[in-house]
Amino acid sequence: MSKRKKSTTAFKKANKFIPGGVNSPARAFSAVEMDPIFIEKGEGAYLYDIDGNQYLEYVNSWGPMILGYNPPQVIEELEKQLQLGTSFGAPTEVETEIAELITEFYPAVDKVRMVNSGTEATMSAIRLARGYTGRDKIVKLEGCYHGHGDSLLVDAGSGLATLGIKGSPGVTENTARETIVAPYNDQKAVAEIFNKYGSEIAGIILEPVTGNMGVIAPQRGYLEFLREITYKNGSLLIFDEVMTGFRLSRGGAQELYAIEPDLSTFGKIIGGGMPVGAYAGKKEIMDYVAPLGPVYQAGTLSGNPMAMQAGLTTLKALKKEDVYLELEKKGQKLEAGIKKNIEELNFPAYFNRVGSMFTLFFTDKEVQNYQDVKECDLDLFAAYFKEMINQGIYLPPSQFEANFISLALTDSDLDKTITANYKALNKLKAEL
Ligand SMILES: Cc1ncc(COP(=O)(O)O)c(C=O)c1O
């Protein structure tokens, strides 16, 4: 498309030197059969591409940019740190400060270990769960994505779901065999797994509210059930809050649903736009990690001062009283507007939202699990994506993803989105 000529040229060149032209498959726009858009800069709720086009944006760098792009307070702290040094490989006080703040937000957390990505966080949490319990098996839920660690690359959401990949070559059969998969929101399936393997299960890991197969909330009693069955079987409950942490509330999904997991993993917002992940939990479990305990995990750039400053400043901004109320209000406005459009047009679509995460599913059924998402009309999704991007609204380019609302979105941005949604659905309706 001539409107994005420079992006097309940049993508051609990138393909020569980078597999698929991207450094993470979800960015490739494969599901919507378009070339990805190359970004020059972000500002508030908007992204600008290298052709000079402006986009109102709901990807938020896949979640981290809850304050919007380039928040002045984060930039200021980064500039200060830049003058002091970008990496030391030795302790800094900011690491303790951010860890302390996290324990304040999360009552289930006494200690935090910083890593460089969500993947590292979940990989390390799994290793710790295995080391701590002395058991090998991990239960994961279909459609949940926990990064690209070997143990968790089975029936995963996000890029794998988008590309229709069930597992990955390169993961050994033995590793895959230790991962048992159950459908999300299905108590019976989990009960059967625990009946059969209870004493071998180190833990169950899940996105407490899913984002990587689109947004799906846990059914009433589901998280309580998982808490109870893991407790009874001496297995650990691991909430992967890489996406939901600091987003659904200050204390993540665990605060929203009042469930205390044994281990939590974080990423995205915790780094304020810099590459950070963390795993965290009660002292008794976390002290099992080296140098105190036998479970080894380390990182040259872990707790990097630039990343810690960006994370800490972002978390401090989220401490302000009305932040989550404001996000909820924005979410409610968008939800009301889009649901009204769906109703008025009698369009076969289903809108799911929890706080500042939402997904518009192209189906006329309620969406409760991965199977439901797989039954969505993916061609219709792709057509919708194109209609929206052509109106300057940049959404995640896959049905199997969450949209994110940032604090930078104004009422008029939301109105613009609702109007664009109406136009897009109306156009697609005529072609149904
Ligand atoms: C819930 C969840 N866990 C883990 C990850 C992996 O994080 P990263 O991409 O930083 O490795 C993601 C990434 O999207 C995620 O959403």
Side-chain angles (χ1 to χ4, degrees), residues 402-417:
N403 295 253
F404 298 101
I405 293 169
S406 80
L407 285 158
L409 284 165
T410 61
D411 264 4
S412 102
D413 292 332
L414 296 169
D415 284 331
K416 202 163 131 187
T417 309

Side-chain angles (χ1 to χ4, degrees), residues 29-275:
F29 278 38
S30 325
V32 292
E33 291 176 353
M34 275 176 64
D35 289 345
I37 295 168
F38 278 59
I39 303 302
E40 182 170 274
K41 64 169 185 174
E43 211 175 282
Y46 288 83
L47 281 183
Y48 298 82
D49 70 16
I50 56 173
D51 287 281
N53 299 306
Q54 183 198 55
Y55 304 93
L56 182 53
E57 208 273 341
Y58 288 86
V59 182
N60 283 210
S61 186
W62 304 93
M65 312 315 289
I66 192 165
L67 306 179
Y69 289 100
N70 273 355
Q73 65 272 52
V74 176
I75 301 306
E76 196 181 315
E77 291 307 318
L78 281 175
E79 279 171 352
K80 275 194 226 160
Q81 186 61 47
L82 194 58
Q83 299 308 317
L84 298 172
T86 57
S87 182
F88 312 119
T92 53
E93 286 177 301
V94 62
E95 293 164 72
T96 313
E97 204 182 332
I98 191 170
E100 187 178 13
L101 191 58
I102 294 162
T103 64
E104 196 183 301
F105 290 178
Y106 289 80
V109 168
D110 296 328
K111 290 195 177 183
V112 185
R113 173 56 69 80
M114 289 292 173
V115 291
N116 302 297
S117 68
T119 297
E120 260 190 82
T122 58
M123 265 166 44
S124 310
I126 292 294
R127 182 180 306 146
L128 177 56
R130 287 179 165 145
Y132 180 76
T133 59
R135 301 170 176 186
D136 289 343
K137 294 202 186 309
I138 294 290
V139 180
K140 86 169 280 286
L141 304 180
E142 224 178 19
C144 286
Y145 175 69
H146 306 291
H148 63 89
D150 281 1
S151 301
L152 301 170
L153 264 191
V154 184
D155 286 316
S158 190
L160 285 104
T162 305
L163 300 171
I165 301 172
K166 200 169 156 53
S168 172
V171 174
T172 66
E173 244 175 69
N174 281 343
T175 305
R177 203 176 299 130
E178 300 296 4
T179 306
I180 310 172
V181 183
Y184 186 78
N185 268 333
D186 185 340
Q187 296 191 20
K188 203 164 147 254
V190 171
E192 276 168 15
I193 290 169
F194 272 90
N195 272 341
K196 200 162 168 196
Y197 300 107
S199 62
E200 296 170 61
I201 296 172
I204 174 161
I205 185 165
L206 73 149
E207 296 179 64
V209 170
T210 79
N212 288 295
M213 53 174 147
V215 175
I216 303 178
Q219 286 167 352
R220 190 184 285 268
Y222 182 62
L223 299 178
E224 287 81 355
F225 161 79
L226 295 179
R227 178 62 286 183
E228 199 178 312
I229 200 161
T230 43
Y231 184 70
K232 272 193 193 149
N233 285 274
S235 311
L236 301 188
L237 179 63
I238 308 166
F239 274 8
D240 180 357
E241 299 236 38
V242 166
M243 194 180 274
T244 52
F246 314 98
R247 175 162 282 285
L248 298 185
S249 76
R250 212 162 282 125
Q254 52 198 274
E255 179 183 325
L256 198 63
Y257 295 94
I259 302 286
E260 290 205 354
D262 299 300
L263 285 176
S264 304
T265 54
F266 301 110
K268 303 194 189 268
I269 290 173
I270 205 175
M274 298 289 277

Side-chain angles (χ1 to χ4, degrees), residues 350-377:
Y350 184 78
F351 187 89
N352 256 354
R353 177 181 72 86
V354 180
S356 59
M357 284 166 58
F358 70 90
T359 300
L360 179 62
F361 291 104
F362 286 84
T363 172
D364 51 4
K365 285 196 326 198
E366 224 179 294
V367 176
Q368 301 272 0
N369 58 34
Y370 190 39
Q371 191 53 41
D372 296 339
V373 187
K374 284 202 285 192
E375 285 167 22
C376 288
D377 187 332

